[in-house]
């Protein structure tokens, strides 16, 4: 399954490393990534894939927990949502 991951927050060292490490621990593959700084605010968008053995809800909870630990807003949504909106 494909999903879109967003990360927003005050820039600090190690954001990409922490998020990508957590994704690797959860067996989630990063297939595309875009990031930028906007006046000391970090923004990142990733397209990721989860295999059939990886539970989406578990990934969502683990990323929310990481977001709380790091002071970031980390969200993941299924690609299907964006595909359905595009068809409207």
């Amino acid at each position: 399954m494909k999903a879109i991951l967003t990360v927003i927050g005050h820039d600090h060292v190690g954001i990409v490393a922490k998020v990508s490490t957590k994704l690797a621990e959860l067996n989630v593959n990063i297939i595309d990534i875009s990031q930028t700084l906007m006046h000391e605010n970090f923004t990142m968008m990733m397209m990721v894939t989860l295999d059939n053995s990886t539970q989406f809800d578990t990934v969502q909870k683990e990323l929310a927990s990481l977001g709380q630990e790091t002071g970031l807003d980390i969200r993941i949504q299924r690609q299907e949502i964006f595909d359905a909106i595009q068809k409207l």
Side-chain angles (χ1 to χ4, degrees):
M1 164 198 342
K2 287 185 181 178
I4 303 296
L5 174 77
T6 57
V7 180
I8 301 170
H10 187 73
D11 185 39
H12 58 271
V13 174
I15 295 174
V16 176
K18 289 174 186 170
V19 173
S20 60
T21 297
K22 178 59 73 177
L23 291 172
E25 290 170 1
L26 295 167
N27 201 33
V28 175
N29 187 43
I30 300 167
I31 58 174
D32 200 357
I33 183 172
S34 174
Q35 67 181 46
T36 190
L37 287 175
M38 296 172 45
H39 303 284
E40 299 181 23
N41 293 300
F42 178 86
T43 62
M44 177 169 63
M45 180 179 277
M46 293 179 169
M47 179 172 281
V48 299
T49 56
L50 292 75
D51 64 22
N52 292 336
S53 66
T54 305
Q55 296 294 320
F56 182 83
D57 293 342
T58 301
V59 173
Q60 198 171 37
K61 288 175 187 171
E62 289 288 327
L63 290 172
S65 178
L66 177 62
Q68 288 179 344
E69 293 170 17
T70 56
L72 299 166
D73 181 22
I74 303 176
R75 298 174 190 256
I76 187 167
Q77 297 177 326
R78 289 178 170 90
Q79 175 67 35
E80 301 161 354
I81 294 170
F82 297 97
D83 293 342
I85 291 170
Q86 186 178 13
K87 291 179 183 178
L88 293 178

